Amino acid sequence: MSESLSRERLPGLQHEILEDIARGKSLQSVAERLCIWVESNAPGVACTILTIDTVAGVLCPVAAPSLPAEYSQALAGCKIGPNTGSCGTAAWRGEPVETIEIATDPLWVDYRELILPHGFEACWSSPIKSGDGVVIGTFAFYYRTRRGPSNLERELVDKCVHLCAIAIEHERNQSRIHQLAYFDAVTGLPNRSHFNEHARALLAALAAGESANVLFVDLDDFKAINDTLGHHAGDLLLGRVAQRLIECATDRAFVAHLGGDEFALIQATSRARSDATELAGLIVAAFDAPFELDGRVVTIGASIGIAQAIDATIDLAELSRRADMALHVAKSEGRNAWRFFDAELETALQSRRTLKADLVKAIDNGDFVLAYQPIFMLSTRRVIGAEALLRWHHPSRGQVSPAEFIPIAEEMGLIGVLGEWALRQAACAAADWPRQIRIAVNLSPLQLVMPGLVRNVVKIIDECGLAPERLDLEVTESALLAENAATRIALYALRDVGMRISLDDFGTGYSSLRSLRSFPFDKIKIDQSFVADIGLNADATAIIRAIVALAHDLGIKTAAEGIETDVQLDWLCAAGCTEGQGYLMARPMPLEPLRALIDSQVGPRESVQ
Ligand code: C2E
Ligand code: MG
Ligand code: MG
């Protein structure tokens, strides 16, 4: 026993090591410091600390400052087992193993040639255990003479094993925290904050002539998979997608999962556009093959938005905004495609910003009017009602389509005001029409979840003097997709007070049939895209026939939108569609001509309510 090793110095060691751990020093540096302290206090001892990969059951050398490097390298990845030298066996048994003579100990048969040439004759290894008793490492003394440990050495090792357990567990906890903070649990990919950190560092380190590409990837119709196959299948799919993205990216890009069905890649390159195109092409192609999810085969596409930073003037926030913008355009242009952010998009972005500001002013100034499109009974070609459609005459841009400004109003939280205004105008106008002429008003899905909607609608039509039975409210199936209980409660309440509910743009959403099951609609409005294909596309006509038959069986009326030709009108009549609207019969028009049309068909005498 060395004279220099004394009990009094042990608390000092403990203090130093715990301080290192608390200061966040790496496990390796803590372990090395511990070994060096022990070796300098217990001469003749060479110390090693190994951790155990508990999943693979293999040794991972952490510190062995006085053993030959090739010996440590040889131990790395060795399986623990019943005859695997002192350390592997101590880890296997969960108890200390003392080998006084390596040359003859059967535990060392497969390992002795690795160590004997270096002059080590004996080895004493102790398992390091976690708080819950799992072996997470080994702490060993190698001696150059054939001997076992002294009592004082045993005390020292007890203390060291304890310190090692703290250090290893601390490191594992840290790496678990890191994993949780920086990686996404569903896909195992870096998460948004990791992506942001990596991207910022990449942008800051761009070399001259280099630029960065950011690709935002979004799955097409992922929601439908989640809705129809369940969240477990959705999660499995995200994992498979992550795998394919990693295969596409290889070492040319950093891949992250931003959340939901959104992924992002970033790369630094000297050939910005061609590298981005190549990567985007690979990604889109990677979605050609179907995905297998627990025995079910699913096909899904991906849309990609690409933004480039050719110098340091664009920060990550701007780059992300551009990639996002390009992604939206890629999606709206047909999905399963990619789109670069460019000057044209920038202009569109700018004009959208201006439009937002103008919309606020227009609402304040009351710059909206309603147009009314007559709805006809197809068999008699007589007007049975009219749909109120918002019109905005912009001072410099002229007519702005509601298809453009309604989504902006929704985004800005203005749809409630605008929708109520439209309802009041339409209801007050229709109150004056013959009783059999109905009025249809569009409701945004967002209005349906607004508290107090039903009360407001009832109040408005009451103030206008319109009977609820004369009001049709049109909702699109996206209103029902969110599976929002509030939406259905509102729809039932509106119907309970006598209004009728139509399902607008039928056939354009993800799950039209599902919508029909969610609520007992009074009318289905067949989307104009199907009508436009009558006589041109056999599929569209088959779909219309099926919708009409289905609606008939369910006792729901059908109306066709966008009738532009006699051929379409005749075909729809023959197919059994009951109502229709379209430019062929009448375009949306101001109130006065509509009133004249109504009077010409119904006769002013009948106009009295
Ligand atoms: P929607 O409710 O499906 O309205 C029918 C759209 O088809 C109208 O477009 C109408 O002008 C157009 N249309 C009618 N007949 C034909 C035709 O024969 N050919 C073609 N090509 N188009 C025809 P509009 O007025 O541009 O409205 C677009 C959409 O904006 C509406 O679709 C509706 O979803 C929304 N919208 C309009 N007004 C309001 C409103 O007051 N509130 C809400 N929430 N949405 C509205
Ligand atoms: Mg409509
Ligand atoms: Mg429609």
Side-chain angles (χ1 to χ4, degrees), residues 136-423:
I136 52 175
T138 59
F139 182 82
F141 275 8
Y142 285 76
Y143 301 111
R144 292 185 178 274
T145 54
R146 292 171 201 169
R147 71 158 173 104
S150 68
N151 285 342
L152 197 51
E153 282 175 346
R154 283 186 200 282
E155 267 183 54
L156 173 64
V157 166
D158 275 353
K159 187 71 65 193
C160 290
V161 163
H162 181 62
L163 290 173
C164 285
I166 294 173
I168 295 171
E169 285 203 283
H170 181 76
E171 198 240 14
R172 294 200 171 166
N173 287 340
Q174 287 300 107
S175 84
R176 233 170 273 144
I177 291 167
H178 182 267
Q179 181 74 23
L180 288 175
Y182 282 90
F183 292 86
D184 153 68
V186 176
T187 60
L189 284 179
N191 61 13
R192 186 185 290 275
S193 47
H194 195 169
F195 176 80
N196 288 347
E197 214 167 88
H198 179 90
R200 279 198 194 96
L202 183 143
L203 290 172
L206 282 181
E210 258 191 342
S211 50
N213 294 325
V214 167
L215 288 80
F216 276 7
V217 181
D218 188 285
L219 305 186
D220 297 334
D221 293 345
F222 175 69
K223 191 172 182 323
I225 304 258
N226 248 346
D227 285 350
T228 50
L229 301 182
H231 288 269
H232 175 66
D235 284 356
L236 276 181
L237 177 62
L238 292 174
R240 305 267 197 284
V241 166
Q243 201 48 47
R244 287 201 191 165
L245 290 178
I246 289 170
E247 284 160 17
C248 293
T250 54
D251 56 359
R252 62 182 121 197
F254 179 88
V255 190
H257 180 213
L258 301 184
D261 61 346
E262 280 179 47
F263 295 82
L265 295 94
I266 185 163
Q267 61 179 180
T269 165
S270 48
R271 307 180 312 139
R273 199 161 174 107
S274 59
D275 276 355
T277 309
E278 191 182 322
L279 186 54
L282 281 173
I283 294 171
V284 167
F287 282 82
D288 282 349
F291 292 86
E292 204 264 353
L293 312 173
D294 274 352
R296 276 185 286 210
V297 176
V298 168
T299 322
I300 196 160
S303 304
I304 306 170
I306 309 169
Q308 299 170 298
I310 40 173
D311 52 43
T313 54
I314 300 177
D315 65 4
L316 181 61
E318 174 64 16
L319 206 51
S320 301
R321 205 177 53 81
R322 291 181 176 190
D324 209 35
M325 183 79 193
L327 173 65
H328 276 92
V329 177
K331 273 214 173 303
S332 64
E333 282 179 351
R335 301 156 175 250
N336 221 8
W338 69 84
R339 168 82 198 229
F340 277 90
F341 181 91
D342 52 22
E344 200 184 308
L345 251 177
E346 176 73 82
T347 316
L349 192 65
Q350 187 55 44
S351 88
R352 196 177 158 87
R353 269 191 227 121
T354 326
L355 205 60
K356 277 186 171 183
D358 293 349
L359 190 64
V360 176
K361 273 189 238 147
I363 288 180
D364 285 347
N365 297 345
D367 287 344
F368 296 92
V369 289
L370 286 185
Y372 296 86
Q373 185 173 36
I375 303 173
F376 294 83
M377 177 67 79
L378 292 186
S379 54
T380 60
R381 314 275 154 102
R382 287 170 77 95
V383 185
I384 53 161
E387 177 175 5
L389 296 161
L390 266 168
R391 294 289 175 260
W392 176 19
H393 187 83
H394 187 279
S396 58
R397 293 180 46 170
Q399 290 292 344
V400 185
S401 163
E404 192 176 351
F405 71 79
I406 296 278
I408 298 178
E410 289 177 335
E411 196 183 310
M412 297 179 72
L414 297 171
I415 192 67
V417 187
L418 204 52
E420 283 191 7
W421 180 85
L423 176 68

Side-chain angles (χ1 to χ4, degrees), residues 387-389 441-442 474 504-505 525 561 581:
E387 177 175 5
L389 296 161
V441 178
N442 293 282
E474 298 192 359
D504 205 354
D505 303 343
K525 298 191 77 174
E561 299 184 295
Q581 62 194 93

Side-chain angles (χ1 to χ4, degrees), residues 58-61 71-78:
V58 297
L59 301 172
C60 315
Y71 178 64
S72 288
Q73 279 153 16
L75 288 190
C78 282

